[in-house]
Amino acid sequence: DAKTTQPTSMDCAEGRAANLPCNHSTISGNEYVYWYRQIHSQGPQYIIHGLKNNETNEMASLIITEDRKSSTLILPHATLRDTAVYYCIVRLRFYNNAGNMLTFGGGTRLMVKP
Amino acid sequence: DSGVTQTPKHLITATGQRVTLRCSPRSGDLSVYWYQQSLDQGLQFLIQYYNGEERAKGNILERFSAQQFPDLHSELNLSSLELGDSALYFCASSAPPGTADSPLHFGNGTRLTVT
């Protein structure tokens, strides 16, 4: 799987949009971009994923650049409960004999402040 | 609630002992994955099973083993425990392979403390 690069930490004011960037310059056409978050030792929580089009769900929006080399996760109105480590992961689109696990990097520690 | 159930939530044991961690995947999911997260460390992939068969191995020690049963629940066995095995152990499950969109859904983990 392609590697990703994320800032180590970010701050965001409560009620404002949180924009979390991710670089994945070596991504291939057969790889999705997935976002997960982990709130203080809980299990990682799936947020959203996309291939090349922008995606939105009840939790967040995912903006993928046209060349697919980077993406941004947007939490439109951050709350204190959004404080967590956010992981951007590139994952093979199709299952193969090597499995289809997620490979986690260091993520971005987002601190939402009052 | 992800639908993935892990038991026990907490486990305290002594060095040299053996423990078994249990995971029940979401209904309909055939793949199960195990991850380890040591204190202040990242999530390390250990092993994946699909419909009872091992499909991928990561950084899993020889002292550790896993299996997936016909009812699709999985167990992770840790033996000859050492202090360094103290960690959070997460299980995840996903829909069958071939599904174009199949996120992993994680349980809330088992916190293992080896004393």
Side-chain angles (χ1 to χ4, degrees), chain A residues 38-56:
Chain A
Q38 187 175 26
I39 299 172
H40 188 57
S41 299
Q42 294 179 20
Q45 180 187 20
Y46 166 73
I47 301 173
I48 199 167
H49 74 282
L51 187 62
K52 53 183 178 181
N53 297 322
N54 298 338
E55 302 287 344
T56 295

Side-chain angles (χ1 to χ4, degrees), chain A residues 74-87:
Chain A
I74 301 172
L75 308 178
H77 304 286
T79 71
L80 298 179
R81 289 179 296 178
D82 292 321
T83 292
V85 178
Y86 287 77
Y87 298 97

Side-chain angles (χ1 to χ4, degrees), chain A residues 32 34 36 38 41-46 49 87 91 93-105, chain B residues 31 33 35 37 43 45 48 50 55-56 88 90 94 97-108 111:
Chain A
Y32 276 104
Y34 275 80
Y36 280 77
Q38 187 175 26
S41 299
Q42 294 179 20
Q45 180 187 20
Y46 166 73
H49 74 282
Y87 298 97
R91 181 189 185 211
R93 184 179 177 188
F94 300 110
Y95 178 87
N96 63 24
N97 289 333
N100 61 341
M101 75 293 286
L102 294 168
T103 301
F104 288 82
Chain B
S31 284
Y33 313 73
Y35 284 79
Q37 186 173 37
L43 285 144
F45 168 71
Q48 176 191 356
Y50 169 69
R55 281 306 177 99
L88 279 165
F90 292 106
S94 71
T99 306
D101 296 86
S102 55
L104 272 64
H105 295 275
F106 285 79
N108 276 325
R111 181 179 294 278

